[in-house]
């Protein structure tokens, strides 16, 4: 790797990045050990890495630096004049992208149950994600940080507008648990482990002492009253619910790209549908996974 690839004065030791573009939500965690970091770079060498907006980053491109005598980490590319780029990103450790890993795990789980979901970022984007399930009018609010009860109440009121039920899934350092419990809610906790894009996610319910009962995703279900674990449990609204029984029949899951291609066919005919499809396939075949991912995201907006 040439010295011009990264800024040798950048000593921020950033552990997490985003694949593909500054606005992507595909997280990457670089292992600190040299051997594991080299395997990571070999596997993902065709991707680009960024100080992502959803990590509270500056949007600059990053490179994986793997020195022999120090921990591996991401480094910012220098600006056009070779100078260090300013970056005010606060969270840079191994847990700083966990809201995105938790979001991906929940969306994958919901898809397996047949539910289409929509993710919105904010409050703040660097440590939170809101997953809306329209068929049930349920929001799963993922938060890594936050301690002010007044802040939680504002966010909770916003998310519940229009009659949406909201369940809060809090990271180990998030201090919203008391506020959630005082308003009759179930305190869900999340934790992540592992490195790279395979980082594993678990969620569970916390009791009043803070002890967490971690629950496999296979033993969870979701209804219009929110998340439930196996057995009969009390929902946040105080009703007894049986997991696995949705109050609204879930739609069959469809890849949103298929819906977008069908819409292109309906409006502009077979030629438009084929053009969009081949644009994605061509880039994947040429090894430009980042470009294919960006095209896919653009097509489904």
């Amino acid at each position: 790797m040439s010295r011009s690839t990264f800024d040798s004065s950048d000593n921020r030791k950033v552990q997490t990045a985003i694949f593909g573009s500054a606005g992507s939500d595909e997280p990457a965690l670089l292992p600190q050990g040299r051997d594991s970091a080299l395997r990571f770079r070999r596997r993902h060498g065709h991707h680009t890495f960024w100080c992502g907006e959803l990590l509270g980053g500056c949007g600059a491109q990053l490179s994986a630096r793997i020195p022999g005598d120090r921990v591996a980490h991401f480094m910012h590319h220098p600006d056009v004049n070779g100078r260090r780029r300013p970056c005010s990103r606060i969270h840079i450790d191994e847990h700083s992208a966990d809201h995105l890993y938790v979001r991906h795990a929940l969306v994958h789980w919901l898809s397996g149950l047949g539910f289409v979901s929509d993710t919105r970022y904010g409050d703040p984007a660097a440590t939170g994600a809101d997953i809306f399930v329209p068929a049930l009018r349920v929001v799963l609010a993922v938060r890594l940080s936050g301690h002010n009860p007044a802040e939680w109440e504002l966010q909770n009121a916003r998310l519940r507008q229009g009659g949406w039920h909201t369940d809060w899934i809090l990271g180990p350092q998030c201090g919203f648990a008391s506020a959630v419990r005082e308003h009759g809610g179930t305190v869900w906790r999340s934790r992540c482990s592992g490195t790279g894009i395979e980082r594993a996610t678990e969620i569970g319910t916390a009791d009043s002492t803070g002890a967490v009962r971690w629950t496999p995703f296979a033993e969870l279900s979701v209804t219009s009253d929110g998340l439930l674990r196996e057995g009969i449990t009390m929902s946040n609204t105080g009703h007894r619910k049986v997991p696995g029984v949705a109050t609204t029949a879930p739609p069959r899951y469809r890849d949103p790209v298929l819906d977008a291609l069908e819409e292109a066919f309906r409006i502009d005919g077979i030629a438009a549908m084929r053009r969009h499809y081949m644009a994605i396939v061509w880039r994947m075949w040429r090894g430009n996974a980042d470009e294919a991912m960006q095209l896919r995201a653009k097509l489904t907006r």
Side-chain angles (χ1 to χ4, degrees), residues 12-247:
R12 285 169 281 197
K13 302 296 187 294
V14 177
Q15 293 301 136
T16 57
I18 294 292
F19 284 115
S21 70
S24 168
D25 63 359
E26 297 287 338
L29 172 63
L30 181 65
Q32 292 186 339
R34 178 176 174 80
D35 291 343
S36 297
L38 287 172
R39 286 195 296 270
F40 176 89
R41 187 160 67 185
R42 284 195 297 269
R43 179 174 182 181
H44 303 296
H46 59 291
H47 286 102
T48 55
F49 306 107
W50 300 81
C51 190
E53 297 167 3
L54 297 179
L55 301 178
C58 61
Q61 189 169 354
L62 303 172
S63 291
R65 190 181 188 192
I66 309 175
D69 57 344
R70 287 172 292 164
V71 298
H73 56 279
F74 288 110
M75 297 191 73
H76 290 70
H77 285 206
D79 64 19
V80 293
N81 297 313
R83 293 191 295 262
R84 174 175 175 170
R85 293 178 181 272
C87 181
S88 58
R89 180 175 164 187
I90 298 173
H91 307 287
I92 61 174
D93 66 8
E94 63 180 302
H95 299 291
S96 55
D98 281 359
H99 60 303
L100 300 182
Y101 285 106
V102 174
R103 177 261 174 193
H104 276 276
L106 287 169
V107 168
H108 177 75
W109 171 69
L110 287 166
S111 296
L113 294 179
F115 292 104
V116 175
S117 62
D118 174 44
T119 303
R120 304 172 195 175
Y121 298 99
D123 288 336
T127 59
D130 300 323
I131 305 167
F132 290 78
V133 187
L136 299 176
R137 298 192 67 76
V138 163
V139 186
L140 305 181
V142 178
R143 294 293 184 274
L144 296 187
S145 66
H147 296 277
N148 188 337
E151 176 188 352
W152 177 84
E153 289 185 12
L154 287 174
Q155 295 182 30
N156 190 53
R158 177 182 58 80
L159 291 172
R160 288 179 178 271
Q161 286 180 354
W164 290 74
H165 173 91
T166 303
D167 271 337
W168 292 84
I169 303 172
L170 311 178
Q173 305 304 316
C174 184
F176 285 160
S178 296
V180 173
R181 193 173 288 111
E182 287 174 5
H183 285 73
T186 298
V187 176
W188 291 88
R189 288 288 187 181
S190 67
R191 66 181 179 185
C192 297
S193 60
T195 59
I197 59 174
E198 297 80 13
R199 193 158 166 79
T201 295
E202 295 178 283
I203 66 172
T205 50
D207 63 23
S208 58
T209 69
V212 180
R213 173 183 171 183
W214 300 105
T215 305
F217 277 96
E219 297 176 9
L220 295 174
S221 61
V222 61
T223 75
S224 59
D225 283 325
L227 290 171
L228 300 167
R229 67 187 187 199
E230 67 176 356
I232 299 176
T233 229
M234 292 295 291
S235 76
N236 288 2
T237 57
H239 298 108
R240 298 186 68 82
K241 302 294 293 185
V242 180
V245 181
T247 56

Side-chain angles (χ1 to χ4, degrees), residues 244-261:
V245 181
T247 56
T248 303
R252 181 173 60 89
Y253 174 72
R254 287 174 56 86
D255 189 320
V257 170
L258 293 178
D259 291 330
L261 291 173

